[in-house]
Amino acid sequence: MAYFAAVLARTEDGWDVSETELDAVESLADLADLAREAAQEDDSVLVFIEQEDAWFAIVRVDGEEDPRIFVSDGAAAARSSYGSVLTDELVEQAGESEFDDLDNLVAELDDEDSASEEEDEDDGPAVGPGGVPVGPLGDSEILAEFGLAAKDLVDLSGEGAVPGDALAEIADALGCGEILEAVR
């Protein structure tokens, strides 16, 4: 399947967006280095990754801090080469908990409408191949500082969401939708 990847570097004038190749990326450290190369001083850099019709991911790098990761569908991403780089890192961060408690990975969202749809806590979350949870995984607060609430990001990752459309909406919320669309 086809991938799309773009680097969004925060500047004094907004966002500088450029398409990038992930051919040399074999680890999260490689991806973070790629992002840092695009940074102006220690400003934030976002990497958008999309696998057509399957999942999207956002990796945020702020200076020399550890990268923050959000993946729209962990199980789907774990089945792809670039996605597994991200999900493997998230699984490692979660430790050996077998994802019994996803509070560390996805922010709690109070949504009265979904309360009746939630699975019984004893059943736990749906898990895909390799033990990676189905659905959003990672730091849903990754873009809160830029005005995109965790709930909105998770909603863009819900069942039936189209990854390319979701990234376009996220870019619009960041104020760089037209620039991202120009590099697609």
Side-chain angles (χ1 to χ4, degrees):
M1 288 205 156
Y3 287 93
F4 169 75
V7 175
L8 293 79
R10 183 91 165 156
T11 69
E12 291 178 359
D13 300 323
W15 293 96
D16 180 31
V17 180
S18 59
E19 186 172 9
T20 190
E21 292 293 324
L22 299 176
D23 295 340
V25 173
E26 295 180 9
S27 68
L28 182 60
D30 293 340
L31 189 58
D33 289 343
L34 180 107
R36 287 185 182 108
E37 289 173 11
Q40 290 188 359
E41 298 181 21
D42 284 341
D43 287 333
S44 297
V45 178
L46 303 174
V47 180
F48 284 6
I49 303 171
E50 172 200 348
Q51 183 179 4
E52 193 171 285
D53 297 328
W55 58 273
F56 73 86
I58 302 169
V59 178
R60 178 176 172 176
V61 178
D62 295 303
E64 292 301 317
E65 293 180 26
D66 289 340
R68 295 167 60 187
I69 306 165
F70 177 83
V71 179
S72 66
D73 186 337
R79 291 187 297 264
S80 69
S81 60
Y82 298 122
S84 66
V85 167
L86 303 176
T87 58
D88 289 352
E89 180 68 23
L90 290 169
V91 168
E92 185 177 312
Q93 288 174 6
E96 299 299 319
S97 70
E98 296 183 35
F99 298 98
D100 287 337
D101 182 6
L102 288 179
D103 291 343
N104 295 333
L105 300 175
V106 177
E108 288 185 40
L109 300 173
D110 294 328
D111 186 2
E112 295 173 12
D113 295 334
S114 68
S116 63
E117 298 173 15
E118 288 182 10
E119 293 180 354
D120 181 1
E121 288 184 27
D122 293 336
D123 293 342
V127 178
V132 178
V134 173
L137 183 65
D139 183 356
S140 61
E141 295 283 335
I142 194 168
L143 300 174
E145 178 182 326
F146 304 118
L148 188 66
K151 180 184 182 328
D152 296 334
L153 183 57
V154 171
D155 287 348
L156 289 169
S157 306
E159 190 172 326
V162 178
D165 294 347
L167 287 180
E169 284 189 50
I170 293 166
D172 284 342
L174 297 174
C176 60
E178 291 180 15
I179 302 169
L180 181 66
E181 194 57 38
V183 298
R184 280 186 86 80

